[in-house]
Amino acid sequence: MTKSNFTRRGVLKTGAATGAGVALPTIFTASSVGAVTNDPTGSTVTLGFNVPQTGPYADEGADELRAYELAVEHLNGGGDGGMLGTFSSKALDGTGILGKKVEFVTGDTQTKSDAARASAKSMIEKDGAIMITGGSSSGVAIAVQGLCQEAGVIFMAGLTHSNDTTGKDKKANGFRHFFNAYMSGAALAPVLEKAYGADRKAYHLTADYTWGWTQEESIKAATEALGWETVNTVKTPLAATDFSSYIAPVLNSGADVLILNHYGGNMVNSLTNAVQFGLREKQANGKNFEIVVPLYSRLMARGAGENVKGIFGSTNWHWSLQDEGSKAFVKSFGTKYGFPPSQAAHTCYVQTLLYADAVTRAGSFNPCAVAEALEGFEFDGLGNGPTLYRAEDHQCFKDVLVVRGKDNPTSEFDLLEIVEVTPAAQVTYPADHPMFAGGQLGACNPGA
């Protein structure tokens, strides 16, 4: 893999806005990039952890930071090594990355694309970060992924579930380990049919940004294929905290299922409002009224408390899994922090190890060498079973979990139960699937 020896001036074309307003383009000057952006020449290498420390997804961000710190500790030979011991690739040995001690800087995305882009730009230009990772909003992920493509660094996406991240907005420098909205729909639909039947009328409340749009599209298509009717779809602002005005019309809509395409604090608040309006005790069309949350997390379940009992959703990973990788990670995380990790923590820990492993296997920090090492990479031992990083779109394919809120939890952390492990084959789709069309992966940018 050769390094280019010229510099250029580039302008980022921004991705989808998250509701935080239209962001200004970011300009990288010739002085801010070299043959390989921030190629480490000393004894350390710096990673940039860009997470929501404020805003509606701040709980997820806090857990992501915990996981990142644990990953750095393990990469540098500290602690019990966690998943380094279970990872099918044995390239990592606890001596940093290519013998360089791993250091990190952090930023606050605020769950806003412009703020996330600004913090990522600062970490790259001022702190020398050679890889950026993090985020709990797909709008943020798409914006930062575009910036990393222009800057010539690898972006290891954190928690981003929109189809667009590895669909129309995919980039050669970006990689996603998290599953996506299409996969949630494909995994949930058979379970919902078995539990609630094929004759249902659904009302959607949807977060008004890229994730919500593709989540609604995906679960709507999957349920309509069962025979469900979609009564209405209503967009809600990402910044909303009270959803009462959106819940009230559901009561007389003729719907017998409410699908909350909400995440984080949005889901906690909208579900709470739905319960306050009596939807869980309501009868409609001769059936018990039901609520579905397509994308779940333990942190959301904790925030919503009793209201999650019996409610179905999907998740990327859960701390109760009994494979060796999951048990090792839960042990390490629990020892360090005193409670089990969330799916956000798991994803971010794994992404850090996958980047370090790819650099080690490539023998280079060159983003194009790293990308080549990740494309088509098949691995196991990181908590999701056999996993493939598909070369065509940089999307991971693995089993998807369908979960339900527990009726009788044994602790504040034991709130979700796994009801179905959906095989990867059931959620795999062709790279040119219509829900993922409209974009090109393009060429890797080493930062020249």
Side-chain angles (χ1 to χ4, degrees):
M1 187 67 61
T2 58
K3 298 181 182 179
S4 302
N5 58 4
F6 62 93
T7 58
R8 73 178 182 189
R9 181 181 178 88
V11 179
L12 169 71
K13 291 180 172 56
T14 58
T18 64
V22 177
L24 296 174
T26 301
I27 296 174
F28 287 92
T29 63
S31 61
S32 68
V33 294
V36 171
T37 301
N38 296 331
D39 196 6
T41 56
S43 60
T44 64
V45 57
T46 302
L47 308 182
F49 301 150
N50 203 23
V51 306
Q53 299 183 51
T54 56
Y57 296 169
D59 282 352
E60 307 283 341
D63 228 32
E64 288 178 343
L65 273 185
R66 295 182 188 106
Y68 283 134
E69 291 179 11
L70 182 63
V72 169
E73 181 180 311
H74 290 166
L75 289 173
N76 287 332
D80 61 9
M83 286 184 170
L84 265 66
T86 63
F87 190 12
S88 59
S89 172
K90 301 304 178 186
L92 299 173
D93 59 6
T95 59
I97 305 177
L98 292 184
K100 298 180 186 295
K101 181 181 179 181
V102 182
E103 297 183 343
F104 66 90
V105 291
T106 66
D108 181 8
T109 70
Q110 303 174 40
T111 319
K112 299 176 181 177
S113 60
D114 51 354
R117 194 165 33 246
S119 60
K121 183 174 186 288
S122 177
M123 287 189 282
I124 294 167
E125 293 195 332
K126 296 180 181 178
D127 301 311
I130 196 168
M131 181 272 277
I132 301 295
T133 178
S136 288
S137 157
S138 290
V140 160
I142 288 167
V144 174
Q145 179 169 259
L147 179 138
C148 289
Q149 178 69 37
E150 189 63 36
V153 302
I154 291 291
F155 176 61
M156 301 296 285
L159 197 157
T160 169
H161 192 242
S162 170
N163 292 339
D164 293 345
T165 308
T166 47
K168 71 179 184 65
D169 295 303
K170 58 182 174 284
K171 294 288 186 287
N173 283 43
F175 291 84
R176 171 162 61 178
H177 179 265
F178 206 67
F179 70 144
N180 58 45
Y182 173 91
M183 295 174 178
S184 286
L188 272 170
V191 175
L192 294 178
E193 181 179 31
K194 183 177 179 180
Y196 303 141
D199 180 23
R200 284 285 183 167
K201 299 180 185 298
Y203 192 112
H204 291 253
L205 291 183
T206 300
D208 192 12
Y209 76 108
T210 179
W211 169 68
W213 305 332
T214 66
Q215 179 58 80
E216 177 189 289
E217 178 188 28
S218 298
I219 194 70
K220 183 170 174 283
T223 53
E224 287 179 353
L226 302 176
W228 289 27
E229 176 187 343
T230 302
V231 172
N232 202 2
T233 60
V234 178
K235 305 297 188 289
T236 62
L238 183 60
T241 56
D242 185 347
F243 293 86
S244 299
S245 62
Y246 297 99
I247 298 294
V250 179
L251 293 167
N252 299 310
S253 67
D256 48 49
V257 177
L258 173 62
I259 299 179
L260 294 176
N261 300 301
H262 289 157
Y263 194 75
N266 286 165
M267 173 271 184
V268 171
N269 291 328
S270 61
L271 178 59
T272 299
N273 290 153
V275 172
Q276 289 170 341
F277 271 78
L279 287 183
R280 298 214 66 180
E281 287 75 43
K282 180 179 170 62
Q283 291 271 322
N285 306 320
K287 306 176 180 71
N288 291 332
F289 196 97
E290 305 292 350
I291 301 174
V292 177
V293 177
L295 180 59
Y296 243 142
S297 81
R298 178 185 65 75
L299 298 174
M300 289 159 55
R302 184 186 65 185
E306 295 275 324
N307 297 332
V308 302
K309 290 184 175 182
I311 291 181
F312 287 105
S314 67
T315 192
N316 190 66
W317 177 85
H318 193 260
W319 66 269
S320 67
L321 289 169
Q322 291 301 300
D323 61 277
E324 292 305 310
S326 293
K327 289 194 292 184
F329 178 55
V330 171
K331 178 184 176 184
S332 296
F333 193 96
T335 298
K336 188 173 180 69
Y337 299 113
F339 48 85
S342 64
Q343 66 171 353
H346 171 261
T347 296
C348 291
Y349 177 93
V350 167
Q351 284 286 66
T352 309
L353 264 57
L354 285 170
Y355 171 78
D357 175 76
V359 171
T360 305
R361 288 186 292 110
S364 172
F365 286 100
N366 186 313
C368 297
V370 175
E372 188 175 325
L374 285 169
E375 289 178 342
F377 181 45
E378 296 183 66
F379 57 92
D380 203 345
L382 294 183
N384 291 114
T387 303
L388 165 69
Y389 244 134
R390 188 162 67 181
E392 291 88 342
D393 51 10
H394 296 183
Q395 173 65 54
C396 265
F397 289 90
K398 54 193 184 298
D399 295 348
V400 170
L401 305 180
V402 176
V403 294
R404 178 175 55 203
K406 271 195 171 183
D407 290 326
N408 297 296
T410 58
S411 73
E412 63 177 305
F413 308 112
D414 180 40
L415 302 176
L416 300 175
E417 59 183 344
I418 299 170
V419 296
E420 188 80 35
V421 179
T422 306
Q426 186 177 317
V427 300
T428 298
Y429 51 88
D432 62 353
H433 187 283
M435 287 188 187
F436 297 83
Q440 296 295 323
L441 196 63
C444 169
N445 177 15

